[in-house]
Amino acid sequence: MRRTASPLSLVMLGFGTFLLVLAPLLAWYVQPRAAVNPLDIDTTAVYTGRGSVFDLDRVETVSGQAITVTQRVRGNVEAGVDSGNAVWDVITTVDTDKSLPAADPHDALDFSPHRWVLDRKTTKPVHCCEEKPRIEGEAYLKFPFDVQKRSYQWWDNTLGDTVVLRYRGTEKVQGYTGYRFTASVPATKTGTRLVPGSLVDEPDRPQVLAEEWYSNHGLELVVDQATGRVIYAQTGPRRALRAPGGDEDAAVLLDAEKLSFTTATQKEAVRQAKRDSGQLRMVGETLPVGAAVAGFVLAVTGGILVARGRKEEERPGLPGTAQ
């Protein structure tokens, strides 16, 4: 009697070994490379609420107005491919019912275009590709992948600087759990603007280089832990003008205690977060674990079969053949 390994046992041993090698590669090599910010992002977030706005026709601040903030983010694929970074062009508009619907974003009450360039893996700002303004901090529009339970430096584009967002626990948005962060912004001078003197309580001066001041009643963000996607956002901006060297606001341009994601924006953000985090989880956890378990079972079974072999009776040699 002699022992020989069956083809099936060899296949099981080989395939099991392959899966055992594949499992750590999926977790340690493939998954980190799958967690990258896209070049071709195309998304729109809409905030709504009520507050006070400056009416140019009436030349005064009007309270109780419905306010809509629309933030459109579009990826510049060509610039992204050339630079190796994600190049995102952002247009933010502020409207009241009076300026909506607008055929052209330039017709909005406030129109603010800018460009953000970010590292595709770390989400850190990159300074290239006609970026404007010079964005700093750890996060803007989204957080890095694998969000931690700590404070983050968040870029506030109206402030022109970073604010500290502090971790406040978890919160559900449309049934989906995310990490909650909050911050507030004290009144801060952000620039100057040439306006009629009467607008800032200086009627004797035809024009005044008024000071622009910005504060925020409260920022609140709920973020998907795996992808860093913002699934809920709330902001309370206040923008005002002061006379040069003044201590009090002379004219309020915008004041809203709460502008937040619409239900439609929340649902879409949650849908994308579920999809993207599910893909990362599959590559980083589900497939590696499944491959490791299946590989172990196949390798052990195949090894046992190879070790045992297949008993066959030795056939007597034919005449004239070697025995």
Side-chain angles (χ1 to χ4, degrees), residues 50-127:
R50 304 192 74 84
S52 301
V53 297
F54 190 82
D55 190 313
L56 293 175
D57 294 331
R58 297 167 59 175
V59 197
E60 64 179 358
T61 301
V62 181
S63 62
Q65 299 295 296
I67 300 172
T68 300
V69 177
T70 306
Q71 189 175 66
R72 300 175 176 88
V73 184
R74 304 288 187 271
N76 189 315
V77 177
E78 183 178 357
V81 171
D82 290 343
S83 68
N85 302 299
V87 181
W88 295 356
D89 291 321
V90 187
I91 294 178
T92 304
T93 56
V94 180
D95 289 279
T96 61
D97 289 343
K98 187 176 181 179
S99 59
L100 283 176
D104 188 334
H106 293 82
D107 296 334
L109 181 68
D110 186 76
F111 172 81
S112 175
H114 58 282
R115 170 171 286 188
W116 183 35
V117 185
L118 59 150
D119 184 282
R120 297 190 67 194
K121 295 180 181 178
T122 67
T123 313
K124 291 182 178 179
V126 178
H127 305 302

Side-chain angles (χ1 to χ4, degrees), residues 221-232:
L221 301 174
V222 182
V223 184
D224 176 44
Q225 188 277 328
T227 65
R229 179 183 292 277
V230 176
I231 58 177
Y232 175 82

